[in-house]
Amino acid sequence: MSGNNTMNYDLTGKVPLLAKFGFSMLPFAWVTQTMVITWQMFYFTTFVKMSVMMVTLMLTVGKVVGAVATPFWGYLSDRLYRTAFGRRFGRRRAVLLLCIPLNFVFYMALWTMSMPTWFYFLANILYWGAWAGVTTVQYALPAEMTENTTQRAQIVGINQIAAGIGGTALSMLNIWLFTLWGKDNWTSYFYIALLWGIVGTIALFIGFLTVQERPYDASTDVASSDSSTGEASGLKRFAGVFWNFLSAMRVKSYRVYLGMYICEQTFRAIRGTINTYFVIFVLLLDPQTVSLSTGVSFIFGMVFVAMWIWLTAKLDGMRTFRLGGYVCILAFACMLGLGIFQASVPTGVRAILFTVFLIFLSFGISGVVNATQFVFTLVPDVDEIVTSKRREGQYAGINSTLDVIFTALETLLIGAVLSWTGFVEGATTQPAATVDWIMILYTVVPVVLVILGNIVSRLLKMTSANHKKVLAEVTRLRNGGDMKDVEPETRKVIEELSGFKYEQCWGHNNVINATHKEKEGAAA
């Protein structure tokens, strides 16, 4: 029953270079997402001439539908080894094979012109639904590819660096492309989107061909835990998607991690959505400055990642998260000062200062993101001690869902605030109230979220020493060890990280299967 897409390898050793390269292609494909995040709202309000409220409603609906789709992708991905298709291509690679062509088609539909509003709404919904499958695989693989924390830290770093390279190529080349094709016509945006759509699709296909995942075994046979009475009906499987979504929340480490993740993801999403407006309407700089400054900050960000990988290994993820957060707070304070006093700063100096502050902000964000992604790779290990199964896809789906939900909410909030302050679609300047609120959304709101995330991070006790105890106990139980022989210190660590009494772990609960009655459901 073992799939022919993977080879057996030592989970505690080094991940093969080809597999690391294959994984790097997934975050590199975010060149398409960078185009959407940076320019889609601007494109629709400026060229399609949609109202800002209609655009934000469209983006919100699409993202929410995508959020609903992600639990299904996670549930499906974890259980694809039950099918011949999954056993042939792998439970993660099979999802990529399904999503790659869909992602390209729906992505390009977003950048066409002179289509009815319903067309853009539908294309946006389908695009976010297909992209959710890609992000589910990307989130799942770092924890699945290895149990070696050093290798996981490297893979998390690869994730950031590859995304940085993709973002840099997009941002830097866009300067030349806007010069070549012009910045004031819709066709420039269409051709740039087409270019990056092709590049992103090729990257995803290379990832499909080369990435490596866990082969079939008892831990990856998640479907065997779904029903204790034979094959579940379609209705029960449908209900199981939502049960598994909720069941993951019962693991204490994941609940605390989510507090960190939501704060980190939301403050970055707000900054990304409003960045173009901040540069153009607050700092009164041109679109090329957006691309140049973003590209330069990405270059420095890639260098910063190497340092953060080392720091995370030394300090553990939570302290790295807080250190990066302190840097972000200082950088946003500098941005706020520049926005307030922009009228007294010459244009050239203003552009330079913004780029410098953005580099400083990139340094802090690199640390926050590195720490958050690293901590996430440890959560499925805690889940395995609870369920005895590997459910990386389930957690990846939940992360994607919550990411989309909170991104959609912040997009809707931004649209409502801009509309309320009198935002004028297609204008080169905005009312003073709009400018002030753009500045607040870009600087003050992220600072509040960073502070909240730092407070939450102190609740998670996932140290390197504690994580090693979890892995050692998982290995012992996999090899047939008796739960009665657990060391007292290990028992204490597992109960602290899982939120379950030790006797309720290793599948002695109803976390995966709601019908399982053995010692069920008493989360501590």
Side-chain angles (χ1 to χ4, degrees):
M1 204 173 173
S2 178
N4 63 8
N5 63 293
T6 68
M7 51 187 173
N8 293 321
Y9 61 97
D10 181 9
L11 288 171
T12 62
K14 288 187 176 181
V15 177
L17 288 176
L18 184 61
K20 290 180 179 177
F21 173 77
F23 175 75
S24 73
M25 291 294 97
L26 305 188
F28 180 80
W30 276 73
V31 291
T32 57
Q33 269 288 291
T34 304
M35 188 68 184
V36 170
I37 292 171
T38 304
W39 293 109
Q40 190 180 11
M41 193 169 180
F42 183 79
Y43 175 83
F44 275 99
T45 55
T46 303
F47 299 107
V48 182
K49 302 298 183 182
M50 280 190 185
S51 69
V52 67
M53 277 306 298
M54 182 63 72
V55 174
T56 52
L57 177 62
M58 180 186 73
L59 299 182
T60 300
V61 171
K63 292 175 182 179
V64 168
V65 171
V68 173
T70 50
F72 288 91
W73 284 119
Y75 185 90
L76 173 68
S77 179
D78 280 341
R79 290 158 177 79
L80 272 177
Y81 275 143
R82 80 157 80 206
T83 69
F85 179 66
R87 292 192 294 273
R88 178 177 180 183
F89 294 107
R91 56 180 187 164
R92 311 306 180 195
R93 293 171 68 244
V95 171
L96 286 178
L97 190 59
L98 291 172
C99 291
I100 289 171
L102 296 177
N103 179 71
F104 178 77
V105 171
F106 301 140
Y107 167 75
M108 287 311 306
L110 294 174
W111 303 97
T112 57
M113 183 59 73
S114 301
M115 303 300 291
T117 301
W118 68 261
F119 175 88
Y120 294 117
F121 266 79
L122 180 61
N124 200 57
I125 288 171
L126 295 175
Y127 167 73
W128 283 102
W131 184 252
V134 176
T135 56
T136 296
V137 174
Q138 184 184 342
Y139 279 124
L141 284 174
E144 177 163 317
M145 292 170 72
T146 180
E147 292 178 359
N148 184 311
T149 53
T150 300
Q151 291 292 296
R152 283 184 181 175
Q154 290 181 11
I155 292 171
V156 167
I158 288 171
N159 185 72
Q160 288 181 266
I161 291 172
I165 292 173
T168 299
L170 173 67
S171 301
M172 297 298 287
L173 189 55
N174 274 359
I175 299 173
W176 177 71
L177 292 176
F178 277 128
T179 302
L180 179 66
W181 292 329
K183 62 182 180 180
D184 299 320
N185 58 84
W186 76 271
T187 55
S188 299
Y189 295 83
F190 175 84
Y191 288 131
I192 293 172
L194 177 62
L195 171 64
W196 298 122
I198 293 172
V199 170
T201 300
I202 293 173
L204 288 176
F205 190 69
I206 292 173
F208 162 75
L209 293 175
T210 56
V211 78
Q212 186 166 283
E213 56 185 283
R214 288 176 187 252
Y216 176 86
D217 60 19
S219 68
T220 56
D221 184 15
V222 179
S224 64
S225 296
D226 283 339
S227 175
S228 58
T229 58
E231 285 295 315
S233 67
L235 181 60
K236 287 183 178 179
R237 288 181 183 173
F238 183 82
V241 174
F242 296 98
W243 173 261
N244 275 261
F245 184 98
L246 296 174
S247 73
M249 304 292 182
R250 295 171 63 188
V251 178
K252 180 181 177 181
S253 289
Y254 188 62
R255 294 196 301 270
V256 179
Y257 157 81
L258 276 181
M260 298 167 55
Y261 175 75
I262 290 171
C263 290
E264 171 257 319
Q265 195 71 1
T266 304
F267 98 73
R268 290 197 302 120
I270 291 174
R271 190 199 71 85
T273 300
I274 211 75
N275 185 65
T276 301
Y277 289 155
F278 180 79
V279 172
I280 294 175
F281 298 128
V282 176
L283 300 184
L284 303 181
L285 300 172
D286 55 41
Q288 284 90 336
T289 302
V290 179
S291 294
L292 178 61
S293 58
T294 302
V296 170
S297 68
F298 266 129
I299 292 174
F300 279 91
M302 288 185 291
V303 177
F304 298 148
V305 168
M307 187 201 75
W308 286 115
I309 292 174
W310 177 80
L311 275 177
T312 297
K314 293 290 184 182
L315 301 178
D316 292 325
M318 273 54 69
R319 283 188 287 177
T320 306
F321 182 90
R322 290 192 290 273
L323 180 59
Y326 298 143
V327 175
C328 288
I329 291 171
L330 184 57
F332 279 123
C334 293
M335 293 283 195
L336 178 61
L338 182 61
I340 292 173
F341 299 106
Q342 63 83 19
S344 60
V345 181
T347 301
V349 176
R350 212 181 309 144
I352 293 172
L353 286 175
F354 175 70
T355 302
V356 171
F357 296 157
L358 200 60
I359 291 171
F360 192 43
L361 180 62
S362 178
F363 175 65
I365 288 177
S366 295
V368 172
V369 172
N370 182 266
T372 307
Q373 292 182 357
F374 176 76
V375 172
F376 176 72
T377 69
L378 311 181
V379 172
D381 299 323
V382 179
D383 183 78
E384 184 176 5
I385 198 65
V386 173
T387 65
S388 79
K389 300 296 181 182
R390 299 297 305 188
R391 297 197 300 164
E392 289 90 350
Q394 189 65 53
Y395 284 94
I398 294 172
N399 264 34
S400 297
T401 297
L402 296 177
D403 180 10
V404 171
I405 289 174
F406 279 89
T407 301
L409 289 175
E410 62 84 14
T411 302
L412 188 61
L413 175 63
I414 288 172
V417 170
L418 294 183
S419 179
W420 170 66
T421 59
F423 182 89
V424 181
E425 293 81 7
T428 56
T429 60
Q430 296 295 335
T434 301
V435 173
D436 289 342
W437 273 100
I438 289 174
M439 187 162 53
I440 291 171
L441 289 170
Y442 190 82
T443 59
V444 178
V445 173
V447 166
V448 173
L449 289 169
V450 171
I451 293 172
L452 181 60
N454 279 8
I455 293 172
V456 172
S457 72
R458 296 183 180 277
L459 303 177
L460 186 56
K461 310 300 181 184
M462 183 70 83
T463 64
S464 295
N466 286 347
H467 180 245
K468 288 178 181 178
K469 285 183 171 63
V470 172
L471 287 179
E473 185 65 5
V474 166
T475 301
R476 188 180 73 83
L477 295 176
R478 276 183 194 163
N479 294 331
D482 194 324
M483 292 184 70
K484 295 178 181 178
D485 297 332
V486 62
E487 295 289 335
E489 183 61 28
T490 299
R491 172 195 289 269
K492 180 180 178 181
V493 167
I494 289 173
E495 291 185 347
E496 166 64 30
L497 294 179
S498 70
F500 285 77
K501 294 188 179 300
Y502 179 81
E503 289 76 15
Q504 296 172 313
C505 293
W506 205 242
H508 293 201
N509 52 65
N510 67 343
V511 169
I512 292 180
N513 179 10
T515 66
H516 190 191
K517 301 300 182 183
E518 182 181 6
K519 296 182 181 179
E520 68 177 27

